[in-house]
Structure formats: C-alpha cells, structure tokens
Amino acid sequence: MARWRDGHGTLTVHRQGGEVSVPLERAVSYRARTRGLLGRDAVEGALLLSPAGSVHTFGMRMAIDVAYLDRSFRVLAVRTMAPGRLGLPRLRSRHVLEAGAGVMAEWGLVAGVSVSVG
C-alpha cells in the first residue's frame, strides 16, 4: 500500500450485484484525523480515517454511519452513532470510514464486504 496524504479520492464498494463508487476524503495526518467531521453539517460521500480503531461523535452536529475496516479493507462492522457518543475500539480495525447516517446501507456496505480506496 502506498503512503497516502490528506486529500480526496474514490471509495469503491465491492458488493454482490456490482460495484458502487463514492467520493472520498482521506484524513491520514494526526491533525486531519483529530478534526474528522467536527463542525460540519454534512459530508459528501465518505471520510476515511487511517490509521484508526475507534471514533467518537462528541461535538458533532449529525448522526453518522461508521464502518470499521481491517488492514485488507474488509468491513468488520458497521454502526450508526448519534452525536455525543463514544465508539468502542474494534479488534483488528486499522481504518475507519465515516458517512452520513443511513448511506452505508444504500451503498451495500455491510460486514464482510471489501472496499478499495483510490
């Protein structure tokens, strides 16, 4: 895996019945991961936090979907978190995807599905 920088890319969800491409924002520096979605009213597509094993929604204005990914970008778990919550750390989680509440189900992002980041 190449070393990433903060920026934009594409998330591809490899699900049964085809692939779904979604706009992606990468947060890989300490500063970008710490900021995450704080202070935003919405997110276009998804935000990838890497490395990350857990997240919180303290100070957030919206509920979000959170997907925990392992090193090979396979989804370990997907949760919806309301503002003001602390997510439990996930064993084997290396990356975390965040998106608006409810959209991950529309993308077909469930445990066991693999994704790729471009």
Side-chain angles (χ1 to χ4, degrees), residues 29-113:
S29 68
Y30 176 78
R31 184 177 200 160
R33 287 191 321 265
T34 302
R35 181 165 182 254
L37 295 176
L38 294 176
R40 298 190 196 182
D41 293 321
V43 60
E44 181 181 333
L47 173 69
L48 175 70
L49 304 170
S50 181
S54 66
V55 296
H56 69 84
T57 57
F58 296 114
M60 293 189 123
R61 300 176 183 168
M62 61 182 174
I64 60 170
D65 282 349
V66 177
Y68 299 90
L69 311 174
D70 65 11
R71 288 183 183 271
S72 62
F73 293 95
R74 184 166 302 276
V75 178
L76 300 171
V78 178
R79 300 287 181 259
T80 300
M81 294 177 63
R85 304 289 182 202
L86 178 63
L88 296 174
R90 299 286 173 191
L91 293 176
R92 300 186 338 264
S93 177
R94 177 69 176 165
H95 316 280
V96 174
L97 278 174
E98 296 180 344
V103 299
M104 288 188 182
E106 294 173 15
W107 300 338
L109 200 66
V110 295
V113 168

